Amino acid sequence: MLPRCLLRLTLSFNHVLVCVSATGPFSSVLHPKSRMTTEPKRRRQEENAVMPVRIGTHNGSFHCDEALACYLLRRLPQYQDAEIIRTRDPKLLSTCDVVVDVGGVYDPETHRYDHHQRSFAENMNSLRPEKPWVTKLSSAGLVYLHFGTKILAHILGIKEDDPMIPVLYDKMYENFVEEIDAIDNGISQCDEEPRYAISTTVSARVGHLNPRWNDKEQDTEAGFRKAMELVGTEFQDRLQFYRDSWLPARALVEEAIRERFQVDPSGEIVVLSRGGCPWKEHLLRLESEMNVEKPIKFVLYTDQNGQWRVQCVPAGLNTFQNRLSLLEKWRGVRDEELSQLSGIPGCVFVHASGFIGGNLTKEGALAMAQKTLESQHASNGQ
């Protein structure tokens, strides 16, 4: 039997221990009511927590189309922090907010963008009849078709209804995305056997980031992230080029076409206010868009030395045939001999094929174009 004073001390000590322990890691054991009040709160917090956005695509060897599709989606505010889940497990894919290049479903309502199923045969024209392209779409093309306008506007920091957006949208598809669609779907560029191999396309460079067949390490995750960076960087570089260089050239050519009758009454000669800009593609396309009735034959511009060039408009983008070549008797002749032969002062040269000539002055270059036109009209009995 303990003395009464010692018993009191022991009880007091035990009470202190219990009080201290109640604030420590064992408080839920010592105070069941505390456990009952904290666990429902934790569950409510977990239920209210926002689930991370997920983009699903297939695992294993990767290709350019899903790398670009994932990159483009992450340029959108709603997907910029998205986790990319690489799997073929249907259960995991069902938890994803958007799925590309896997799953066997194309359904924009549920954000499923696969193109491998037998029933899929969509192209840009079939889904957007105002567009001319009929190349079967890959996952990259599907994402671009549905989100391209928003993506370009967000990257460039402009509004979706900015007039440059539809022009850049078409240009980026025609000169970047369509190639990736075609390669991924196994569509040849030409019907005949090509004369040489092209192995440095962006699709080929993405493919080389996969592990080699005989590498001991076959993990594709790091390579896929490099692929996204590679194709994404190239996409943005191309877009910036078209915005900062290609579009200003288009504006320059459009201005020249509008003012063509001030240059010559025929309307078949245009003058570019600045030399050095790419004009052929713009001129051929703008003629159609602006309903130019009489095809333009010559373009005048300055070269790097400040001299003037007169260049023939080609019959098409991929041909060396001209709508009208400079006079045959001038071809291959230079300087004073050419000036005397043509009766036009300041002549510098006419190329042996007749597609371009030069003169020291704007007036001289214009006269070279006008004399060629007059000769054609005379031969046609006009």
Side-chain angles (χ1 to χ4, degrees):
M1 182 81 181
L2 288 171
R4 185 175 295 176
C5 63
L6 186 57
L7 180 61
R8 188 182 298 115
L9 180 61
T10 302
L11 291 171
S12 300
F13 182 67
N14 287 338
H15 178 69
V16 171
L17 284 176
V18 170
C19 291
V20 172
S21 299
T23 62
F26 303 105
S27 59
S28 62
V29 176
L30 296 171
H31 295 277
K33 290 183 178 180
S34 174
R35 180 173 70 244
M36 292 174 64
T37 56
T38 57
E39 287 188 354
K41 183 178 180 181
R42 184 180 300 113
R43 282 198 297 271
R44 286 195 300 271
Q45 290 174 340
E46 290 173 353
E47 289 171 0
N48 293 332
V50 178
M51 292 293 291
V53 177
R54 290 178 159 190
I55 298 172
T57 190
H58 64 82
N59 57 359
S61 295
F62 49 84
H63 311 98
C64 192
D65 71 314
E66 76 265 20
L68 179 59
C70 290
Y71 176 87
L72 291 177
L73 286 169
R74 291 179 73 176
R75 303 282 70 76
L76 294 168
Q78 65 265 41
Y79 297 123
Q80 64 183 3
D81 298 319
E83 179 185 5
I84 295 178
I85 306 298
R86 298 185 68 233
T87 182
R88 294 185 184 273
D89 184 343
K91 291 182 179 179
L92 281 176
L93 291 173
S94 69
T95 68
C96 295
D97 299 86
V98 55
V99 176
V100 299
D101 210 45
V102 70
V105 176
Y106 167 55
D107 181 11
E109 294 295 323
T110 57
H111 293 312
R112 266 48 187 168
Y113 302 102
D114 196 11
H115 65 109
H116 293 101
Q117 56 273 26
R118 187 180 183 89
S119 60
F120 185 88
E122 303 290 0
N123 53 59
M124 187 70 80
N125 178 259
S126 68
L127 295 175
R128 295 186 63 179
E130 74 277 13
K131 303 299 182 185
W133 303 286
V134 294
T135 299
K136 182 180 176 181
L137 296 168
S138 69
S139 64
L142 284 171
V143 167
Y144 189 79
L145 182 142
H146 288 287
F147 298 98
T149 296
K150 293 182 182 293
I151 289 167
L152 298 185
H154 188 68
I155 291 175
L156 297 175
I158 58 179
K159 294 182 179 180
E160 290 181 46
D161 60 359
D162 189 293
M164 77 168 64
I165 289 293
V167 179
L168 290 174
Y169 180 96
D170 288 356
K171 187 63 176 176
M172 286 300 296
Y173 184 76
E174 184 177 49
N175 285 74
F176 194 91
V177 181
E178 186 180 22
E179 172 190 322
I180 295 170
D181 284 344
I183 290 174
D184 193 78
N185 284 305
I187 301 171
S188 298
Q189 192 175 15
C190 54
D191 295 329
E192 299 178 357
E193 189 71 20
R195 296 178 62 182
Y196 55 89
I198 297 176
S199 60
T200 58
T201 65
V202 65
S203 295
R205 283 179 277 129
V206 164
H208 287 310
L209 294 174
N210 280 283
R212 297 182 179 90
W213 70 272
N214 55 351
D215 284 345
K216 291 183 179 179
E217 179 57 63
Q218 289 292 313
D219 181 19
T220 58
E221 293 300 320
F224 181 75
R225 278 153 181 78
K226 287 182 180 178
M228 285 178 56
E229 181 180 356
L230 184 155
V231 71
T233 298
E234 193 152 329
F235 180 91
Q236 291 209 176
D237 285 347
R238 187 74 63 86
L239 177 60
Q240 289 169 356
F241 165 76
Y242 288 141
R243 178 193 63 182
D244 298 337
S245 179
W246 183 83
L247 268 182
R250 176 186 166 93
L252 201 72
V253 176
E254 183 175 356
E255 178 187 20
I257 293 174
R258 293 191 188 282
E259 297 179 354
R260 65 191 185 280
F261 290 106
Q262 300 176 28
V263 175
D264 185 80
S266 69
E268 297 177 85
I269 305 171
V270 299
V271 177
L272 299 179
S273 59
R274 290 181 59 188
C277 80
W279 56 265
K280 294 178 185 177
E281 176 190 2
H282 293 307
L283 187 143
L284 296 176
R285 183 164 294 180
L286 285 167
E287 276 185 330
S288 175
E289 293 178 13
M290 298 170 68
N291 297 315
V292 174
E293 294 183 4
K294 189 179 292 187
I296 295 165
K297 305 299 193 306
F298 297 103
V299 176
L300 275 58
Y301 57 88
T302 54
D303 63 15
Q304 293 179 336
N305 297 318
Q307 296 180 355
W308 281 84
R309 298 287 181 93
V310 49
Q311 187 166 346
C312 308
V313 176
L317 275 181
N318 301 309
T319 178
F320 291 107
Q321 298 298 315
N322 302 314
R323 290 176 173 175
L324 178 62
S325 298
L326 290 168
L327 292 177
E328 195 278 332
K329 62 182 179 181
W330 298 349
R331 299 174 196 176
V333 185
R334 298 186 60 88
D335 303 325
E336 185 58 30
E337 182 183 357
L338 178 58
S339 294
Q340 299 231 348
L341 178 63
S342 64
I344 302 170
C347 287
V348 178
F349 76 99
V350 168
H351 192 274
S353 66
F355 87 98
I356 193 170
N359 196 284
L360 296 176
T361 67
K362 175 183 176 180
E363 293 74 19
L366 178 58
M368 294 171 74
Q370 289 172 328
K371 280 203 169 186
T372 303
L373 280 175
E374 290 170 6
S375 176
Q376 182 200 40
H377 293 161
S379 63
N380 292 338
Q382 298 178 359

